Each structure stands twice: as C-alpha cells, then as structure tokens.
Amino acid sequence: MRRVWMIFRRDLSSSIREFLLLYMMAAPIILAIIFKMFIPSANSAALQFAVDAETAKDMGIYKTISQYGSVEVYQDFQDLEKRVRGTDDIAGIIKAQNGSYQIVLEGNESHDTKVIPEMILRDYLSKEALAMTFSIRDLGYTQSPIARVGAASLILTTLILAGAVIGFNMIEEKEGKTLSALSVTPMRRWEFILGKSMIGILLPLVIVYVILWLLDMWYVDKAMVFAMTLISSGLTVMMGFLISVFSSNQISGIANMKILLLPLSASVIGALMLSPSQQVFVYWLPTYWSFLGFDGIIRNTMTWGQIGYYGLWILGLTFGMFLLLRNRIKKSFI
Amino acid sequence: MIKVKNLYHSYTNDRAYAVEDISFDIGKGEIFGFLGPSGAGKSTTQKILIGLLPLQKGDVSIAGMDIRKPTEEMFNLIGVSFEQPNLYKKLTGLENLEFYRKMFSVPTEDPMKLLKMVGLEQAAKKRAGGYSKGMMQRLVFARSMLNTPKMWFLDEPTSGLDPTTASNIKEIIWQKRKEGATIFLTTHNMHIADELCDRVAFIHDGRIELIDSPRNLKLQYGEKMVQVEHRMGETFKKEYLSILEEKDRQRLNHLINQGTIETMHSQEATLEEIFIKVTGRGLK
C-alpha cells in the first residue's frame, strides 16, 4: 500500500501545482458557493422558520409551524436575528413578554415568506374562535426542487471533474513517458491503477460533504452519502481512464472531457424530463443512477435497498465499460 | 549476470524481426557495450531485457531469474537510466527521487547524496521542468542509482552533456563497476564505448555482427599506422604511414634520418572505423 499512497500523493502534489487541475478540484466548491447565493430565491418555494426558545416551548405552535416548513430553534434573539439576516429567506417568530407572537423579517423576503407566517399564526391563534375544521396535506418536500437538483448536479460534476483529474494525471504520465521508469521498479500494475484512482475516490468523498454543508443540506444521511459517493467513484475512475486513453495531450484531454459532459447532462435531463417509462433510454448511463441516488438522499427518501440497487447498476455499467476498453487501456499504459 | 539466448522480437508479430537471433552473456562486474546506429535494434533489445517489451521468442535471464516471470526481487536488482528525460516535470529534482525510491523494497540511497554526485545539489529543490536538458539527463542517471542496482542499464548516459559532466558520469560508472555492478551500456558513441566497455557488441539490422573487447577489435581490424608531422622548409606536413608496408617503412626511416620530424604518434583504428568495416555503414 506504500506505493499506492505514494502515487496518490504524487498526483495530488502535481495537481495542486497545475492551475487547470487545481481549478478542476476547487470548481465544485466555487460553484456551490455561487449556487448558494441563488438558493434563497429557489428555497422560497419551501418555507423556513427561525423560532426562539420561548416559542419552541409551546408545542402546539411548534408542531403547527413544522407542518409548513423546516423550523430552527435559537436560544437568544441575537442568534435568531443573525439567522434572519442570512442570505436565504427565513421568517423569525418570537414570543413577546406579553404573550403575543411577533414575526421578525429582514425586509427583502419573498412575498410568501412575509405573508404565510402571518396566516399560520392567525389560523393557530384564532382557530378555536373560528371553530373551523381543516386538514393539511404535506407533500414531504422541505427543499426546493431547484436546490435539490442543483445539489445533486453539483455532486455529479464533482465526480466528473475528479475523473478528469485522474485523466490529466495519466496524460502527464503518457506525455512524460514516466510510466516506463515506474515499470522497471517492483511496482505492480494494480498498485499503479489503484494509486492513480485514489485521487478520484478521496477527492469526491471530501468535496461532496463540503457541498452539502455549504448548501445547508447537512441533514442528509451521511452514511448513505458516503456509500453513494464511494460507489460512484467507480464511474469517476472510469471517466479518468476514458479521458486518458483517448487523449495524447492536455488539449485533446480537454476536448474529450467536454464530450464526456454530454452523458452527464443527458442523465440529469433524462431523470428530470423523461417519463418513468422513457427513462429506460438513459439506463445505460452510470451517471443517471448516480444522480437518482444523490437526489433521493437529498430528499431523504432513499433506502439502503435502493442504494444497493443503484450501486449494482453503476458498478455493473462501469465494469462493462472497462471490459470493452480493456485492450485499449492496456495498450495505452501497460 | 545476464544471459540472452536466441532472442527475437517482431513489432508486427510476423517474421519482420526488429531483433533476430541475438545471443550474449554478460559476466558479473562487466561493462558491456551495445553499439549500433539508430534503428539497429539496441533499444528493442534493452526494452525486452528490462521488461518494457514482452519476450516473444528466446530466453533471457538476469541473475538466474527468467524475465518471463519477473519478480519483485528482479526489479529490485536492476536500475535503468533512460535516454529520454522521463521525469515528473512539476516535481522538484529531490521530489522525483524521493517518490521513485519508495517504489523499491530494498534499502535505497540517500537522494541528496545522489544529486550531489551528479552535481545537482543546488538544483535539488527546483522543479525538474525548469532543468536544462543536461540537468534532466543527470537526474535520470541519478534516479537509476537509487536502489544500488546490481544490473545497471544505461542508455546513452552522456548524451547532451558537456565534457566535464560527461567525464564525471564516466567516473561514477567506473566506480559502480568497482563496487560490483554489471553494466549494459547502449550507445552509438564509440568514444564512450571505447573508454568504458570491457566488451562491445556491434548490432546492425537487428543482428549482432560481432562481440569482443575494444582492444581485441582494434588489434584484429585496425591497421598499425603512424602519424608523422615534419618540417618542409617553412611549412609543416602531416603524413599517415603504415608500419606494415615496406614503402611506408622506408619513408619513415628517411624522415627519421633527415631529422625533420616535429611530432610522431602511433595511430590505431577507432571503433567507428571497425564498425564501418564490419557492417558496411556508420554509427550515426
């Protein structure tokens, strides 16, 4: 394993020293930060509430608000105010000393964020007086679809770019003929392949969590995220090999990477736009299954059984592609 | 140390052999030169010996180990100095060596010591991409010594180096030979081969034409000549005279008796001249 680790460390050092690769590694995080700026308006479809501890003690109002959106509890008013002043839309609800409820707003919130808390409070506080009966239907979505799809797409982008980092490091080996030097050492073939793949496995494992944290999706099942990312790294490694096998230099590597972005787009568009019966046309894309997996995890609707099922598709398709290209890969590197 | 028997290799998997029926043995501690022009089959032979090309036909063993079944032990024994500067350009010279040494499972040399040996200690922390061609060549050479190889393959080790550095590299090669390393030297530089090798093999069109020591080859193929520079009035004249031919011997005696000789040197045939004589073409 020493050799595998050394190859990984070499690739990491080399990648950090090359602007293009450094950008590829950092791009998903930069995109997530930019995306976060747009999320407030996207998230306005889903309501968010910040309540103080006093309000939270009133289980009746707490449960009522929870039915309409996500609720965050703050111990003191300063923290609540800081949260309301954040970039996204969130309505603050506090209980005043006279027992009345007050809505705290920044002033630039969307119409729904301003009006709906009022309506909820009015309904709650006056429902006995009105003596009305009503039922609430919850569709189960606490995140806006745009935020959810954006996050899953960013994760897929991370996987593809990590694959490109593998690919470009391989191209460096090809261009510099450095593999000849390694081939006359006791290094084994599997150590080289695993060492080269490590950056594509470890990098997404870190970046995916950073993206989820940046996009306020830390509520997700972390173990499921880990499993899905690890499974999808098979696809990342495959991307890396595809880019390097068909590219003799960085320029052709960039061109091939652009081509590989097409199936990525197809899988996202296919999963979102096609009817379930038509989605069979994108079943052959491992990125499709990966997208479904991450989308499900972000929605909190994923089961371990589904992860296993999607994982089988991803690994099966990736392995199939490796088999198809094995001679080409051998000729290129070994 | 190395035994090659009836080695054949075809890139097209047919009877168009790049190397054909090559056989030789190299003893422990010997410097064996593989001489030939570009495209003669030198690199193909070396690539097979170090495992970069598959062994299609023939038998090759290094230290008694069949190269068809390469082991970790075998790769720990060999060192290869490539002609092309196959280095990681984004890593420093020191990082290149530090990375490479971790690939071996035997004790390795201190990279700084090796960089010092080849005169790169000042450039140790500079990226290899910023090295000159000669510096890269020296770094590749230093890298090949990391595992203290018992079987050392050198491909044009002094190519692109200035005379002082080339002389330093030759000193290192001699020193390593003294320490017991067996050296397979691939080159088309006959001066290097002449200076360093115990024996040389001439390879031409994929076949070995002859194998012998440079001294024996010169004795066998060289003509015994004398280069004489003598005064003729106000000018000097240079003449090449054979000491085997009666007419030239008489001319030499005449010049000696006249007392006009300024310089006189015995001349022997160069390896290149012998190569041309044997193969009918030059080494370039």
Side-chain angles (χ1 to χ4, degrees), chain A residues 223-279:
Chain A
M224 282 187 178
V225 171
F226 183 85
M228 201 65 209
T229 311
L230 201 61
I231 290 165
S232 300
S233 62
L235 143 77
T236 305
V237 174
M238 182 68 219
M239 293 280 179
F241 275 92
L242 273 176
I243 290 171
S244 57
V245 161
F246 292 104
S247 318
S248 52
N249 54 50
Q250 275 205 353
I251 303 293
S252 55
I254 292 167
N256 286 324
M257 191 180 77
K258 284 180 182 171
I259 294 170
L260 283 174
L261 289 174
L262 289 175
L264 165 75
S265 317
S267 49
V268 176
I269 293 166
L272 294 174
M273 304 290 189
L274 297 177
S275 66
S277 62
Q278 288 173 321
Q279 287 187 14

Side-chain angles (χ1 to χ4, degrees), chain A residues 195-212:
Chain A
K196 285 280 159 196
S197 306
M198 285 289 274
I199 200 161
I201 297 168
L202 297 181
L203 200 64
L205 275 178
V206 175
I207 293 178
V208 164
Y209 284 107
V210 175
I211 289 173
L212 291 170

Side-chain angles (χ1 to χ4, degrees), chain A residues 117-134:
Chain A
E118 262 182 69
M119 291 166 67
I120 296 169
L121 283 175
R122 196 176 297 130
D123 280 352
Y124 175 74
L125 296 170
S126 61
K127 64 184 176 186
E128 284 176 14
L130 290 170
M132 284 173 64
T133 56
F134 63 92

Side-chain angles (χ1 to χ4, degrees), chain A residues 23-54:
Chain A
Y23 171 71
M24 282 183 189
M25 290 193 288
I29 295 174
I30 297 168
L31 290 171
I33 293 168
I34 296 168
F35 188 57
K36 188 181 165 72
M37 294 174 192
F38 294 98
I39 281 189
S41 53
N43 261 354
S44 60
L47 292 168
Q48 297 184 95
F49 303 97
V51 299
D52 65 350
E54 277 301 306

Side-chain angles (χ1 to χ4, degrees), chain A residues 21 283 311:
Chain A
L21 298 192
Y283 275 15

Side-chain angles (χ1 to χ4, degrees), chain A residues 131-247:
Chain A
M132 284 173 64
T133 56
F134 63 92
S135 65
I136 295 163
R137 288 185 66 199
D138 183 355
L139 296 175
Y141 299 133
T142 53
Q143 281 285 349
S144 78
I146 295 171
R148 199 189 71 235
V149 170
S153 304
L154 266 181
I155 291 172
L156 271 198
T157 309
T158 305
L159 296 170
I160 300 282
L161 290 179
V165 173
I166 297 179
F168 279 78
N169 275 309
M170 296 261 209
I171 291 170
E172 186 196 0
E173 297 270 2
K174 274 170 90 172
E175 280 191 298
K177 294 185 168 48
T178 40
L179 188 54
S180 315
L182 284 176
S183 301
V184 295
T185 70
M187 180 201 74
R188 295 183 185 94
R189 197 177 291 177
W190 70 263
E191 288 174 322
F192 177 75
I193 293 171
L194 186 59
K196 285 280 159 196
S197 306
M198 285 289 274
I199 200 161
I201 297 168
L202 297 181
L203 200 64
L205 275 178
V206 175
I207 293 178
V208 164
Y209 284 107
V210 175
I211 289 173
L212 291 170
W213 176 74
L214 278 172
L215 300 181
D216 298 323
M217 292 174 180
W218 203 236
Y219 59 85
V220 293
D221 187 322
K222 318 289 186 297
M224 282 187 178
V225 171
F226 183 85
M228 201 65 209
T229 311
L230 201 61
I231 290 165
S232 300
S233 62
L235 143 77
T236 305
V237 174
M238 182 68 219
M239 293 280 179
F241 275 92
L242 273 176
I243 290 171
S244 57
V245 161
F246 292 104
S247 318

